[in-house]
């Protein structure tokens, strides 16, 4: 029998994870292995191919031309494989539909609308999962993702546009001083960690609204948006709010806007699903329902 020219799949998957995350450490977390294990597999793949796949002198990791070529082909192939596996699983689950999204979106946007969603599709079993990347949860029928709406091999329908502004508990407002961006420089800022430039942090939010960021910001870092919102509700600091996510808290007055500044962009939350999905399918109908709730 002829020997396969393909490198070991485990090496290719380690390379794919490192390329997606731009970090061996994050790739290891994604694959539930150690960072040295990822490093060894990538090194073995480079030795097998006889080329360098990453330029390791920068952070995040930079793909070499050979690495970019391999990643493009590998990601395309894995995306098609993930779609096929999802379709096979879907045939076995009948009327079950799975939606995957970031915890913040599920908690603050979808859960308040869950009674209406289940009433609109009463004969179908609904499953919710946390995670907004299709390669993390390939079994999900719909992935709600944050970005610019362009994902290979997937269709995307906008649910929410991006509008970002500062909010806090009304109990905290008197401590912030008079209205204006200056009050934010004196505030304790609640910040998400490790967002990989997918969303605004305080530094680029200040710059986008034309204000100089605090030289020494008083910041608390969170790795979960729900925890960050809980801290804001408790009066522990000022948070960045994405329009549409915290509407209930704004309507009740539990949170209030700190200033008039708002950042908008072409990005937003999109319901994504495999390209070629039939318009009459359950997936397409649920996506249309989600988009109709806010008009994108």
């Amino acid at each position: 029998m002829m020997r396969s020219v393909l490198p070991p799949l485990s090496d290719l998957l380690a390379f794919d994870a490192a390329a997606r995350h731009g970090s061996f450490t994050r790739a290891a977390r994604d694959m539930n292995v150690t960072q040295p294990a990822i490093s060894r597999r990538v090194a073995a793949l480079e030795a097998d191919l006889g080329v360098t796949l990453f330029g390791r002198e920068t952070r995040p990791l930079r793909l070499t031309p050979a690495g970019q070529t391999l990643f493009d082909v590998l990601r395309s192939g894995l995306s098609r494989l993930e779609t096929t596996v999802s379709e096979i699983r879907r045939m076995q689950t009948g009327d079950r539909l799975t939606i995957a999204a970031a915890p913040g979106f599920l908690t603050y946007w979808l859960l308040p609308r869950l009674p209406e969603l289940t009433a609109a599709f009463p004969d179908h079993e609904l499953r919710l999962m946390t995670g907004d990347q299709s390669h993390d949860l390939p079994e999900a029928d719909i992935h709600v993702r944050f970005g610019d709406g362009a994902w290979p091999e997937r269709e995307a329908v906008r649910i929410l546009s991006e509008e970002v502004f500062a909010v806090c508990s009304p109990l905290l407002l008197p401590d912030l001083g008079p209205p204006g961006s200056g009050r934010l420089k004196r505030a304790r800022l609640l910040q998400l960690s490790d967002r990989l430039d997918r969303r605004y942090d305080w530094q680029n939010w200040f710059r986008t609204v034309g204000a100089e960021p605090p030289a020494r910001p008083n910041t608390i870092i969170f790795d979960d948006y729900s925890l960050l919102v809980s801290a804001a509700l408790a009066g522990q600091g000022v948070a960045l709010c994405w329009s549409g996510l915290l509407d209930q808290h704004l309507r009740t007055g539990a949170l209030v806007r700190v200033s008039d500044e708002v950042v908008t962009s072409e990005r937003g939350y999109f319901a994504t699903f495999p390209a070629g999905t039939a318009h009459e399918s359950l997936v397409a109908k649920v996506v249309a329902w989600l988009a109709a709730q806010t008009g994108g």
Side-chain angles (χ1 to χ4, degrees):
M1 294 180 61
M2 294 182 60
R3 177 183 177 273
S4 172
V5 298
L6 292 177
L9 181 59
S10 57
D11 294 352
L12 290 170
L13 292 177
F15 164 74
D16 173 70
R20 284 189 284 106
H21 292 286
S23 162
F24 287 166
T25 300
R26 294 191 188 108
R29 191 181 307 136
D30 184 2
M31 298 188 67
N32 197 29
V33 297
T34 64
Q35 188 271 347
I38 295 291
S39 182
R40 285 194 300 270
R41 292 196 181 282
V42 171
L45 181 60
E46 290 177 324
D48 188 344
L49 299 177
V51 296
T52 299
L53 299 173
F54 291 104
R56 293 169 173 79
E57 68 280 1
T58 61
R59 294 292 182 274
L61 293 172
R62 178 182 56 82
L63 285 165
T64 64
Q68 187 65 58
T69 298
L70 177 61
F71 179 63
D72 290 343
V73 174
L74 181 62
R75 183 93 305 265
S76 175
L78 289 175
S79 294
R80 289 197 296 270
L81 179 60
E82 290 161 356
T83 299
T84 301
V85 169
S86 295
E87 290 294 335
I88 294 173
R89 285 174 172 158
R90 192 173 299 120
M91 288 188 291
Q92 305 306 315
T93 56
D95 291 331
R96 177 191 297 171
L97 184 132
T98 301
I99 300 175
F105 183 89
L106 290 176
T107 300
Y108 299 113
W109 192 90
L110 188 56
L111 287 186
R113 295 170 170 84
L114 200 54
E116 291 81 6
L117 176 58
T118 55
F121 301 94
D123 299 325
H124 302 282
E125 178 184 343
L126 183 64
R127 184 183 183 196
L128 304 182
M129 303 178 69
T130 57
D132 58 354
Q133 301 300 308
S134 60
H135 48 71
D136 293 334
L137 296 168
E139 66 270 31
D141 302 287
I142 299 169
H143 290 85
V144 178
R145 303 173 67 177
F146 184 87
D148 60 6
W151 288 280
E153 312 292 334
R154 297 186 74 80
E155 296 185 38
V157 175
R158 186 187 295 269
I159 298 177
L160 285 174
S161 296
E162 182 173 49
E163 296 181 2
V164 190
F165 47 88
V167 298
C168 72
S169 165
L171 300 176
L172 187 63
L173 274 181
D175 298 333
L176 300 182
S181 59
R183 65 173 16 176
L184 288 172
K185 296 182 181 181
R186 297 185 293 272
R188 176 184 292 150
L189 305 177
L190 309 179
Q191 173 67 53
L192 278 176
S193 67
D194 193 22
R195 304 315 296 172
L196 301 178
D197 296 326
R198 291 195 301 159
R199 301 181 177 90
Y200 281 97
D201 60 17
W202 278 109
Q203 291 292 314
N204 58 41
W205 188 88
F206 273 114
R207 294 191 178 98
T208 304
V209 301
E212 188 66 27
R216 289 187 170 181
N218 178 10
T219 306
I220 300 178
I221 307 295
F222 298 83
D223 66 355
D224 181 88
Y225 192 60
S226 297
L227 290 175
L228 186 152
V229 172
S230 295
L233 290 168
Q236 297 300 312
V238 180
L240 286 176
C241 170
W242 277 258
S243 180
L245 289 191
L246 304 182
D247 286 357
Q248 282 193 322
H249 294 314
L250 292 168
R251 280 196 296 267
T252 63
L255 291 175
V256 295
R257 293 182 64 154
V258 176
S259 66
D260 293 330
E261 290 109 340
V262 59
V263 169
T264 62
S265 80
E266 294 302 314
R267 301 183 304 181
Y269 285 92
F270 291 81
T272 75
F273 50 97
T277 298
H279 292 297
E280 66 275 10
S281 69
L282 176 62
V283 168
K285 291 177 182 177
V286 172
V287 167
W289 187 94
L290 294 173
Q293 302 313 297
T294 59

